[in-house]
Amino acid sequence: QEKLHIIGGGMAGSEAAWQAAQMGVPVVLHEMRPEVGTFAHRTGMFAEMVCSNSFRSDDDERNAVGLLHWEMGAAQGLIMETARLHRLPAGGALAVDRDPFAEAVTARLRAHPLISIAYGEVRDLPQDGHWIIATGPLTSGALAESIRAETGAESLAFFDAIAPIVYAESVDMSVAWMQSRYDKGETLEEQTAYMNCPMDKAQYEAFIDALLAADKTEFHEGETAGYFDGCLPIEVMAERGRETLRFGPMKPVGLTNPHTPGVKPYAVVQLRRDNQLGTLYNIVGFQTKMKYGAQTAVFKMIPGLHEASFARLGGIHRNTFLNSPRLLDAQMRLKSRPNIRFAGQVTGVEGYVESAAMGLLAGRMAAAQILGRELPPPPPDTAMGALITHITGGADAKTFQPMNVNFGLFPPIDAKGGRRGRKDRYKAYTDRAKESFTQWLAS
Ligand code: FAD
């Protein structure tokens, strides 16, 4: 029987190893800790939670991450099952007692007759055999270099500079309008690819004041190297001068506001389409280190975004991740080296739960392939399917940034029909997903 090698015993690698072994495929799990550490991990255990101890909302009826919990439970995921065994009281969230959780995952993997553990750093991209690389946001430098040599420097990032992402339906289009700067583009779709939110002078000044006063997070030690070459946080731009943004991402040129003909906006915030479905838009140039509470307060000051709801907020972090839409096929295989799959945060999903979910799929897909079958990805109207579809093709490769699971990634419900309340609509998404996922599992 051919073996499956997995590099990285984090959220994704642990789950992938478990799934493949449960399907009868022998697994070698390679982990560099405790020999080689990272700035965030403290132990040598598998599935260590490096920061918060929460798997976020456990509401599987009205929350996309709660739905992902449900799907992982239905697929007998090790991470979800163990998290539930070590649950701490936390209202609607799935909070986890992190050390007993990691100890239990480690013990289950070690005890599995088909899993062997190989401690030590893997420094080179493997040549032969079946591999899954699940080395996470803090992939070791040597391996990252080796991956970069294969993918090209522009396709492996070391930072994410995430601009906030807004649900398109929550933007007030009686204030905002669709137009690309100077109407650029061949087709009407391209000429109207952006949403524009206009500001007058007073609104701009108030916005700059709020940016300067907002609460910001500090960088982790060892996290900042090289970050200023990339993109500046918007509040740092504002600190450099009150006009910097108006001459940068908020410049009002090449745009005409159809709601107020003849009045030139003083500044314009642009939102760019973020997915093929057109349900999500990111605020262009608005990567930020503001705390989450401050971000919502400040961004809702933007005309047109007063009632905005956010699919994800902005951030800047140390994060090694691939340009997956460009590099990976629908089975998460490197197109240029199909014996290698990627899984977890390195594929451009974000968070413990999303990473473990992508590990679950990669483990099953790799095991199926070794057993001479092919496992199709789950349908895009499930949480796992929406995520894998996004990273392997739905997202725009040119602006690809890591993504949490959210309903904006799902094929819309009620696109044309009557407007149901948002809560009912989320329930409709999760009902549809559960049915679809159950069918996928059964087949
Ligand atoms: P990891 O869990 O990081 O696992 C990767 C594993 O690969 C590690 O065990 C590492 O030691 C090993 N490895 C790396 N390189 C090699 C190599 N060359 N050879 C062998 N082994 C190797 N997510 C949240 O949901 N909530 C949070 O609060 C949160 N906070 C975070 C804080 C920080 C500082 C960071 C960096 C990330 C945070 N994340 C958070 C994201 C979180 O780390 C990931 O979502 C999740 O752990 C990723 O799972 P993974 O399996 O992809 O990577």
Side-chain angles (χ1 to χ4, degrees):
Q1 176 81 73
E2 282 184 282
K3 283 185 176 152
L4 172 63
H5 292 266
I6 299 174
I7 315 178
M11 294 295 160
S14 299
E15 185 66 60
W18 182 258
Q19 294 290 330
Q22 289 294 85
M23 285 170 68
V25 170
V27 174
V28 184
L29 180 56
H30 302 259
E31 170 54 56
M32 68 179 184
R33 291 177 295 118
E35 216 169 274
V36 178
T38 77
F39 80 81
H41 292 87
R42 295 175 298 113
T43 74
M45 287 186 284
F46 297 132
E48 179 178 329
M49 300 173 87
V50 290
C51 185
S52 110
N53 69 329
S54 173
F55 278 3
R56 319 208 304 278
S57 171
D58 201 28
D59 176 357
D60 61 43
E61 297 202 327
R62 293 194 165 78
N63 186 288
V65 79
L67 174 64
L68 203 48
H69 294 178
W70 183 92
E71 291 179 6
M72 291 163 79
Q76 266 116 48
L78 174 68
I79 295 292
M80 201 43 58
E81 187 188 316
T82 316
R84 293 204 184 287
L85 289 174
H86 296 282
R87 174 170 209 156
L88 296 172
L94 177 52
V96 177
D97 195 359
R98 69 177 81 220
D99 285 345
F101 161 75
E103 276 160 21
V105 171
T106 308
R108 295 286 294 278
L109 292 174
R110 282 174 163 279
H112 200 295
L114 286 179
I115 298 177
S116 56
I117 316 281
Y119 285 105
E121 180 187 4
V122 178
R123 298 174 62 89
D124 296 308
L125 203 61
Q127 296 298 320
D128 312 309
H130 299 274
W131 292 78
I132 295 176
I133 301 182
T135 45
L138 308 175
T139 296
S140 76
L143 182 62
E145 271 316 310
S146 169
I147 295 171
R148 233 177 183 203
E150 174 72 24
T151 61
E154 67 295 340
S155 290
L156 184 74
F158 291 108
F159 281 90
D160 55 23
I162 296 178
I165 296 177
V166 172
Y167 290 107
E169 57 171 23
S170 70
V171 178
D172 181 355
M173 295 310 288
S174 69
V175 177
W177 76 97
M178 310 291 300
Q179 185 187 10
S180 300
R181 232 183 260 288
Y182 300 111
D183 302 312
K184 268 201 192 128
E186 302 282 299
T187 61
L188 184 64
E189 199 185 3
E190 288 168 7
Q191 289 159 8
T192 55
Y194 291 79
M195 289 180 175
N196 301 283
C197 300
M199 280 187 189
D200 62 23
K201 185 164 193 303
Q203 288 165 331
Y204 179 77
E205 295 297 341
F207 183 69
I208 298 293
D209 288 338
L211 272 182
L212 295 175
D215 249 0
K216 288 130 196 151
T217 33
E218 300 301 321
F219 281 98
H220 290 269
E221 198 185 329
E223 208 185 12
T224 53
Y227 119 83
F228 277 109
D229 324 340
C231 5
L232 286 178
I234 156 178
E235 62 277 7
V236 173
M237 281 190 260
E239 276 162 20
R240 294 193 167 178
R242 297 186 68 89
E243 295 289 285
T244 308
L245 284 170
R246 221 166 69 78
F247 288 94
M250 292 173 70
K251 57 181 177 288
V253 301
L255 296 165
T256 329
N257 183 352
H259 304 301
T260 57
V263 184
K264 270 188 145 322
Y266 188 73
V268 174
V269 175
Q270 281 205 303
L271 286 79
R272 185 195 293 123
R273 186 157 147 170
D274 203 77
N275 63 345
Q276 228 160 37
L277 297 170
T279 49
L280 300 174
Y281 277 73
N282 69 72
I283 314 186
V284 180
F286 272 37
Q287 55 280 349
T288 177
K289 286 291 274 186
M290 281 188 285
K291 291 200 169 146
Y292 283 175
Q295 287 191 40
T296 356
V298 173
F299 296 142
K300 284 189 172 189
M301 292 173 70
I302 298 169
L305 302 189
H306 296 326
E307 302 288 328
S309 55
F310 293 89
R312 67 164 305 164
L313 288 161
I316 299 178
H317 304 100
R318 171 89 167 76
N319 190 6
T320 310
F321 68 97
L322 297 173
N323 191 309
S324 295
R326 184 172 292 148
L327 299 172
L328 302 185
D329 70 10
Q331 286 273 317
M332 291 197 272
R333 289 178 298 221
L334 200 54
K335 288 176 193 162
S336 62
R337 301 274 296 276
N339 64 320
I340 300 176
R341 275 186 171 75
F342 281 85
Q345 185 139 328
V346 74
T347 62
V349 297
E350 166 114 359
Y352 302 137
V353 183
E354 287 85 341
S355 298
M358 293 302 98
L360 187 151
L361 289 183
R364 285 185 171 226
M365 285 172 164
Q369 189 178 339
I370 290 172
L371 297 170
R373 307 196 294 258
E374 183 171 300
L375 178 69
D381 58 6
T382 63
M384 280 193 214
L387 266 179
I388 192 175
T389 304
H390 181 75
I391 60 173
T392 62
D396 184 351
K398 288 200 281 296
T399 56
F400 185 62
Q401 285 293 342
M403 187 54 105
N404 285 124
V405 70
N406 65 78
F407 288 123
L409 302 177
F410 291 59
I413 279 182
D414 265 1
K416 296 213 166 58
R419 281 184 71 83
R420 302 188 216 182
R422 189 173 286 158
K423 289 209 157 148
D424 286 350
R425 205 143 35 87
Y426 291 164
K427 176 78 165 54
Y429 276 109
T430 60
D431 285 345
R432 179 179 70 174
K434 286 175 186 173
E435 200 181 312
S436 235
F437 194 78
T438 306
Q439 274 173 20
W440 175 79
L441 266 184
S443 66

